[in-house]
Amino acid sequence: MIISPSILSADFANLERDIKRVEENGADWIHVDVMDGHFVPNITIGIPVTAALKRIASVPLDVHLMIDNPEKYARDFIKAGANILTFHYEAMKSDEEVLNLIRLIKSFGIKAGLSIKPKTAPGKILPFLNEVNLLLVMTVEPGFGGQKFMEDCAEKIKVIRKNAPSTLIIQVDGGINADTGRICRDFGADSLVAGSYIYKSADIKSAINSLKV
Ligand code: DX5
Ligand code: ZN
C-alpha cells in the first residue's frame, strides 16, 4: 500500500518539519493539494510552494490538481517537481482533451493521474484506464480536509479494478483512517491519501502503519 500523507493538514508555518515527520515514519509519497477557488471553493498551494516542497522532500511529490484548465498549468507543476500529476476528469471539456493531457504528462517521464469526484460514475473514465498510471477516487467532495468518508464512492474501486490493467495504481482520497482504509484495500486500492488522520494523530508512526496493513 502506497501511503501519501496530505500536507493540507500539516502546519503551513512548519512544512519542512512536517514533511520530515511523515517521511521518517513511513510515508511513501507526499500528497500536495492544489486548489484554485474555481474548481473547488478553496485556495491552497500553487507552483512556487510546490517547487519549495521539492527542495525539502526526499520522497516523490504526488500533486493533486483541483483546478480548472489543468492543461494550462501542467507543465509548470512538472517543472516545479511533481513526480505524479493528477488532474480531474470534471475539469476537462472533452474526452479527447483528457487523453491529450494524460499523454502530455507522461511525455515528461512522470506518472499521469486522473481523478473523479463523488458524483462522477466510474463508467466515464473506463476508456482511460489503459492510458493513465494512477486513478484517484475521491471519497469526499474535493475542497477541504477532515470530511467524512463516503463508502458508496469507494465502491467504484471494484469496478475500476475489474476493468484496469494490474499496473494501474488506484488511489483513494478523503476521510481515510485505519477503518476506511481497510475498506478501500479490500475493494482493491493500492494507495491511500490521508491528511487529518495522520497529522492530527498523537503518534504519526502508528497512524501511518495502521494504513499499511
Ligand atoms: C480534499 C483533498 C484531500 C484532503 C484529505 O479535497 O483532496 O487530499 O487533504 O484530507 P482528509 O484525509 O482529512 O480527508
Ligand atoms: Zn487530495
Side-chain angles (χ1 to χ4, degrees), residues 108-209:
F108 286 90
I110 69 160
K111 286 187 168 59
L114 184 63
S115 182
I116 49 171
K117 296 209 285 184
K119 291 194 186 79
T120 302
K124 300 262 191 203
I125 49 82
L126 295 183
F128 307 107
L129 296 183
N130 283 302
E131 290 284 340
V132 279
N133 305 110
L134 179 146
L135 203 294
L136 170 53
V137 176
M138 292 298 301
T139 42
V140 298
E141 279 300 335
F144 301 92
Q147 302 181 77
K148 195 176 174 291
F149 177 79
M150 296 156 88
E151 186 165 342
D152 51 329
C153 297
E155 299 269 349
K156 295 179 202 175
I157 299 167
K158 294 192 253 180
V159 182
I160 296 164
R161 189 78 282 166
K162 225 190 313 158
N163 289 281
S166 60
T167 49
L168 179 82
I169 299 168
I170 301 180
Q171 186 179 59
V172 192
D173 184 3
I176 296 297
N177 57 37
D179 297 330
T180 59
R182 204 166 302 119
I183 294 171
C184 296
R185 189 210 47 204
D186 292 346
F187 287 167
D190 311 286
S191 173
L192 299 173
V193 175
S196 48
Y197 177 64
I198 291 176
Y199 276 109
K200 307 285 179 245
S201 151
D203 182 350
I204 285 188
K205 194 182 188 74
S206 46
I208 292 177
N209 278 338

Side-chain angles (χ1 to χ4, degrees), residues 15-149:
L15 283 172
E16 182 163 18
R17 180 199 69 188
D18 279 4
I19 282 182
K20 293 275 169 289
R21 213 171 248 179
V22 292
E23 283 182 348
E24 282 160 9
N25 288 299
D28 299 291
W29 295 346
I30 298 292
H31 188 80
V32 182
D33 284 307
V34 176
M35 304 186 190
D36 66 351
H38 289 274
F39 184 74
V40 289
N42 194 8
I43 301 179
T44 55
I45 292 165
I47 297 151
V49 175
T50 303
L53 294 172
K54 186 67 187 175
R55 292 197 276 123
I56 299 164
S58 48
V59 300
L61 286 190
D62 166 30
V63 178
H64 179 192
L65 298 180
M66 286 161 277
I67 62 173
D68 282 336
N69 305 116
E71 72 286 352
K72 268 196 197 166
Y73 302 98
R75 286 178 189 80
D76 291 331
F77 280 100
I78 294 168
K79 230 184 275 168
N83 300 94
I84 301 100
L85 189 62
T86 300
F87 63 96
H88 268 268
Y89 174 78
E90 302 84 2
M92 307 304 285
K93 284 171 207 75
S94 67
D95 279 16
E96 193 190 344
E97 285 193 5
V98 173
L99 200 54
N100 288 344
L101 185 50
I102 292 169
R103 289 182 176 161
L104 175 91
I105 295 169
K106 288 198 299 186
S107 75
F108 286 90
I110 69 160
K111 286 187 168 59
L114 184 63
S115 182
I116 49 171
K117 296 209 285 184
K119 291 194 186 79
T120 302
K124 300 262 191 203
I125 49 82
L126 295 183
F128 307 107
L129 296 183
N130 283 302
E131 290 284 340
V132 279
N133 305 110
L134 179 146
L135 203 294
L136 170 53
V137 176
M138 292 298 301
T139 42
V140 298
E141 279 300 335
F144 301 92
Q147 302 181 77
K148 195 176 174 291
F149 177 79

